[in-house]
Amino acid sequence: TRKAYGKACALGDLAACNTYGHMLLKGEGGPTDWKAALVPLERACTTGEDLDACLSVGAIYAEGKHGAKLDRVKALAMFVGLCKHEEKLACDNIDAMVGNDWGLPTNPTARAEMLLELCNQESGAACMRLGDALARGRGVPKDAVLAKARYTRACDLGIKAGCEKLR
């Protein structure tokens, strides 16, 4: 039961923390409580071994639903870490966040640096946005050749807008 998993989590059982947190997220055995789910899921995520818990924590911060704090910068950082562990859904979430301009630095130089890092990790949306930055000279020197290379990479990664920029 949910109560038993909560007790086991409180005693340090990280697998129970993951289960308990997901029960809170889904409303299993009681009401849905995203805010309360953060505590056990973050605890399960701390070792870095429970990628599922970490993915859920990132999603909670990205969406900020049901009283949970909206923190897209933290969410993006979590997804980047998970993507490095080849967690495909985390990599997909990076594309979605970058595509919506969520969690990126506002400083143009820092933004371009992050986009480069994400593009190098196979984020098509980041490659596309970096191509735009290079084409306009935002945060990086204006460079049409590098912009075209980033659009090509975005296209190769399935971003249609990148392909359109090459026409």
Side-chain angles (χ1 to χ4, degrees), residues 22-46:
H22 282 100
M23 291 177 90
L24 288 165
L25 279 180
K26 296 173 187 173
E28 294 175 5
T32 300
D33 191 340
W34 282 43
K35 190 175 179 180
L38 269 174
V39 175
L41 289 172
E42 283 184 324
R43 185 176 293 159
C45 178
T46 56

Side-chain angles (χ1 to χ4, degrees), residues 7-163:
K7 286 181 181 180
C9 177
L11 294 172
D13 181 340
L14 297 182
C17 290
N18 184 24
T19 302
Y20 179 55
H22 282 100
M23 291 177 90
L24 288 165
L25 279 180
K26 296 173 187 173
E28 294 175 5
T32 300
D33 191 340
W34 282 43
K35 190 175 179 180
L38 269 174
V39 175
L41 289 172
E42 283 184 324
R43 185 176 293 159
C45 178
T46 56
T47 63
E49 293 176 20
D50 195 332
L51 301 183
D52 184 47
C54 297
L55 192 59
S56 295
V57 170
I60 291 169
Y61 282 123
E63 296 177 31
K65 289 184 179 178
H66 308 291
K69 182 181 176 191
L70 178 68
D71 189 340
R72 292 187 170 143
V73 172
K74 190 171 187 173
L76 186 59
M78 292 195 78
F79 292 144
V80 167
L82 290 167
C83 188
K84 288 178 183 176
H85 290 287
E86 299 182 12
E87 180 67 40
K88 178 156 178 24
L89 187 54
C91 301
D92 293 344
N93 286 344
I94 290 170
D95 269 354
M97 290 187 73
V98 170
N100 286 306
D101 208 24
W102 293 347
L104 294 172
T106 54
N107 174 288
T109 303
R111 179 184 180 88
E113 288 170 359
M114 178 175 263
L115 289 171
L116 176 61
E117 178 185 336
L118 295 173
C119 180
N120 288 338
Q121 289 182 30
E122 308 291 304
S123 168
C127 294
M128 178 67 199
R129 291 215 181 247
L130 182 57
D132 289 343
L134 287 160
R136 296 183 187 124
R138 285 198 174 155
V140 290
K142 192 172 184 177
D143 189 324
V145 174
L146 281 178
K148 184 177 178 184
R150 294 304 173 180
Y151 291 142
T152 300
R153 187 70 187 126
C155 181
D156 291 346
L157 292 168
I159 304 296
K160 291 179 185 177
C163 302

